[in-house]
Amino acid sequence: MSTRPPTPSRRTLLRAMAALPASAVLLGELPGLAGTALAAAPPSGSATRYTIVPFLNSNDGTVNVYQSDDATDFRLLKSSAYTPPSNRIRDASVFKHTDGYYYLTYTTHTWQDVSTTIGFARSSDRANWTFLYDYTVPITNLSRAWAPEWFVDGDGSVNVIVSCSVTSDEWIFTPYRLKATNSALTAWSSPVALSGIGSNHIDTYIVRAGSKYHAFTKNETTKYIEYATASSLTGPYTISRTGDWAGWGSYREGPSVIQLDNGGWRIFFDGYGDGTYYYSDSYDTFATWSAPTSLPVVSGTARHFTVIKETVSGGPSLAKNITRSFQSANYSTRYWQSQSSLLNLPVVTASSTAAEKSASTLTVVAGLADANGYSFRDSSGNYLRHWDFRARFDANDGTSTFAKDATFIARTGSSSGAIRWESYNYPGYYLRHYNYQLRVERTAGTDLFRQDSSFVPVGAWG
């Protein structure tokens, strides 16, 4: 298999061009996350919904809209959902405002052109968008205004963080804050540079956790995403992590950070150097991160996006403290069954033995790690959990690790009434049958995986 060389970044291309001759961002807002959902599994009957609006690797004149219930398996909501009336749309950032509308802000020109404006559009349903206006960023001798990012602060104020360069050095960018001065988002304060981050940083994305502001920003010299903190939105920031501090590699840009249902944090970024879109998770407030993983479905198609998270109605509903059996959605004669402490998927019928029917019956209870999630208990009192990614039944040892291993979040299944069971402590991993054994596996983003990981709660066999 051949490999592709690193694709030049936008600023690298600008440098090369300059050297040529003239002839040639509902329920409980999380400040700074531009979304409307809390860090907990959705309650029964509700669902978590993540939305992205990326421009395309093959076309920066339009954007697709994708949605996901787990921040991993994104599915197309609408292709070419918004095409501005003129110019381009790149680096689109989305959020839901208090007026109930979703808003986009975006880069309005391709990398070759002078770009002194950022665009705005609005939608009531995320699928159909209306152009609002192009806003000229009021910076003297502005050359380019790129990668605007929504940021909603703790006081409810709406801000845009935008990377700007001036004509004297058109490829050296500095992050600025624009603050909306009316609720219609049609008037903005004068730009204020984010103190401490400094020039030659682009694609700055900020989240607020507690009283601290956390900035993820690309160093355009090293091509690494750096990390900085401040006690004020405009700084001064202290850059404390540089180089390959998180293990993400270089030639990375467009970071976007969101909090997952289990309280962890996920960063998405554009690996433009190798044509891959990545995600990585942190469970110690950004100190360490998991190995970067390719995002299914959209990787190789989507470019530079941000993510919003909401809790919406219409999710899976399953009562607790009742007994149920679980039928495979794509092998309807097969059911979950405990066999020598392992969870398998044998055929169960009316003629099965009483012991087999009992082993195919589980008590549904509140999640041990999150009461909005679910845990499953067999007739002997052991809990379904994953161990070395195999689904099995063990006695509760009272540890936090066991509670997380034995908690699953209900996600909508592939057919009516079916539910997919996502691991609480391995987001994006699902109970999935393979060779009639149940394992916890990372979603592949395919229809087959969704079917193999979908199960219908039915009346108990035992």
Side-chain angles (χ1 to χ4, degrees), residues 11 36 47 79 98 103 108 126 160 175 177 183-184 236-237 256 269 278 283 302 329 399:
R11 273 65 67 193
T36 50
S79 62
T98 54
Y103 286 81
T108 56
R126 300 173 299 130
V160 170
R177 189 277 303 268
S183 61
Y237 284 86
S256 178
F269 53 86
Y278 291 99
Y283 289 91
T399 64

Side-chain angles (χ1 to χ4, degrees), residues 24-331:
V25 239
L26 299 178
L27 301 175
E29 183 173 343
L30 283 171
L33 296 183
T36 50
L38 298 175
S44 182
S46 297
T48 302
R49 186 174 71 192
Y50 302 87
T51 301
I52 61 174
V53 188
F55 78 97
L56 309 180
N57 191 46
S58 59
N59 184 1
D60 65 357
T62 191
V63 289
N64 290 349
V65 179
Y66 298 85
Q67 64 183 17
S68 170
D69 56 6
D70 61 9
T72 306
D73 184 6
F74 283 90
R75 310 183 201 185
L76 184 66
L77 175 65
K78 187 175 182 180
S79 62
S80 300
Y82 172 63
T83 301
S86 61
N87 303 317
R88 320 306 293 167
I89 177 168
R90 301 171 65 91
D91 316 326
S93 180
V94 60
F95 94 115
K96 189 175 185 181
H97 194 23
T98 54
D99 62 5
Y101 284 94
Y102 299 87
Y103 286 81
L104 287 180
T105 183
Y106 53 91
T107 304
T108 56
H109 291 75
T110 192
W111 63 267
Q112 300 100 324
D113 300 330
V114 170
S115 180
T116 60
T117 61
I118 55 175
F120 291 89
R122 186 176 73 172
S123 172
S124 62
D125 60 6
R126 300 173 299 130
N128 301 284
W129 295 84
T130 300
F131 171 76
L132 295 178
Y133 62 96
D134 286 340
Y135 176 73
T136 300
V137 179
I139 293 177
T140 302
N141 297 322
L142 179 65
S143 174
R144 286 168 174 81
W146 282 357
E149 307 282 3
W150 294 108
F151 177 85
V152 181
D153 211 341
D155 60 2
S157 62
V158 178
N159 305 268
V160 170
I161 308 300
V162 59
S163 302
C164 296
S165 69
V166 295
T167 54
S168 61
D169 209 343
E170 62 186 354
W171 48 81
I172 300 296
F173 287 79
T174 299
Y176 288 81
R177 189 277 303 268
L178 303 173
K179 182 177 181 179
T181 57
N182 65 7
S183 61
L185 307 182
T186 57
W188 300 89
S189 66
S190 297
V192 176
L194 301 189
S195 173
I197 292 180
S199 62
N200 210 32
H201 287 86
I202 194 168
D203 299 350
T204 301
Y205 190 91
I206 297 173
V207 296
R208 181 178 173 184
S211 61
K212 185 177 292 187
Y213 296 82
H214 304 260
F216 297 82
T217 183
K218 181 194 177 188
N219 183 314
E220 187 47 36
T221 299
T222 66
K223 317 302 183 189
Y224 289 113
I225 295 172
E226 299 182 341
Y227 170 73
T229 57
S231 58
S232 170
L233 175 56
T234 55
Y237 284 86
T238 300
I239 297 178
S240 58
R241 299 289 187 272
T242 61
D244 196 18
W245 66 278
W248 299 327
S250 61
Y251 291 90
R252 309 296 192 233
E253 63 185 14
S256 178
V257 181
I258 201 77
Q259 195 163 29
L260 301 173
D261 284 345
N262 68 357
W265 296 88
R266 174 163 293 183
I267 187 170
F268 301 85
F269 53 86
D270 188 346
Y272 66 93
D274 54 27
T276 304
Y277 224 101
Y278 291 99
Y279 69 91
S280 175
D281 296 344
S282 175
Y283 289 91
D284 51 13
T285 316
F286 316 131
T288 60
W289 295 82
S290 64
T293 302
S294 176
L295 191 63
V297 181
V298 302
S299 184
T301 298
R303 296 295 310 275
H304 193 150
F305 58 74
T306 59
V307 185
I308 59 167
K309 177 185 178 184
E310 303 170 86
T311 299
V312 297
S313 62
S317 181
L318 180 63
K320 294 171 180 172
N321 300 313
I322 60 171
T323 56
R324 286 290 181 266
S325 293
F326 291 86
Q327 178 187 44
S328 168
N330 56 349
Y331 289 86

